[in-house]
Amino acid sequence: TSITSAKIQVNGVHLHYQQTGEGSHAVLLLPGMLGCGQTDFGPQLKSMNKKLFTIVAWDPRGYGESIPPSRDFPPDFFERDAKDAVDLMQALKFEKFSLLGWSDGGITALIAAAKYPTLIHKLVVWGANASVTQEDVRIYNGIRDVSKWSEKVKKPLEEMYGHKYFAKTCEAWVDGISRFAEKSDGNICQQLLPDIKCPTFIIHGEKDPLVPRAHAEYIHKHIKGSR
């Protein structure tokens, strides 16, 4: 089955998404920081079972082809992404759907599953965190300067955004996510985890350079019945 690429107006912005498959189980793929459907989920769009699933990969506002607007990071940017993601799926006429989120997309998926429990079927997250520690801020500052990134990771993003937007948005992201560490508990969405009622699967890369393993363990501990 072919992959459709389109835009739809949601919450005052034109969100870009890709869709493929004709299965009864709808799945939304949520990309990580600076990523979009194509950069983060090319293999899934190509290879996931198209008879079982209808697969949608989106570009959050300010990322990928969902520009304009330019990406910004107000204090509620994760909540804004969660609302955009859910409203996008509703605009596409999916009554219930599962979320597969990685990194920032995992955080967005956690918030969406907690806030819109009647709409979310199942949840899978990897490389996600529910809070930001001072140690995390130190790690984030290590990626602030995109000229130090490996060629492999940098190249597709530079091709998509151009160097200037890519560099500026990465710096803005580091500032935006580091702000959570200024709160006493560094909280992003810890208080929402007990509200997640759908079956939840948490995956973590043992060598994840950006997200220490304790974050995955915390999420698992606070989502009842998660695996």
Side-chain angles (χ1 to χ4, degrees), residues 32-160:
M33 170 264 270
L34 285 162
C36 66
Q38 194 50 50
T39 57
D40 289 12
F41 296 113
Q44 285 77 10
L45 284 163
K46 209 168 120 194
S47 308
M48 273 178 78
N49 187 320
K50 315 239 168 151
K51 291 202 165 42
L52 284 182
F53 302 111
T54 297
I55 302 135
V56 178
W58 81 309
D59 301 0
R61 61 171 75 200
Y63 285 163
E65 292 182 44
S66 295
I67 303 172
S70 291
R71 182 70 183 184
D72 63 347
F73 300 94
D76 67 342
F77 73 91
F78 284 117
E79 279 83 1
R80 182 181 68 182
D81 282 351
K83 185 172 175 10
D84 282 349
V86 166
D87 291 351
L88 166 75
M89 291 300 276
Q90 295 208 287
L92 295 175
K93 302 283 186 275
F94 295 108
E95 283 168 21
K96 204 163 181 170
F97 46 92
S98 292
L99 302 172
L100 271 73
W102 102 269
S103 183
D104 274 14
I107 300 172
T108 301
L110 291 169
I111 293 169
K115 289 195 161 181
Y116 309 95
T118 58
L119 302 176
I120 309 306
H121 182 42
K122 292 182 178 181
L123 172 66
V124 182
V125 297
W126 61 107
N129 48 298
S131 65
V132 177
T133 67
Q134 290 304 328
E135 168 64 9
D136 294 330
V137 172
R138 193 186 61 74
I139 297 171
Y140 300 150
N141 276 307
I143 66 159
R144 178 185 288 276
D145 179 356
V146 298
S147 68
K148 294 180 182 157
W149 288 29
S150 78
E151 205 48 44
K152 181 180 170 228
V153 181
K154 187 166 66 175
K155 197 168 176 238
L157 293 168
E158 265 190 340
E159 282 171 0
M160 183 165 62

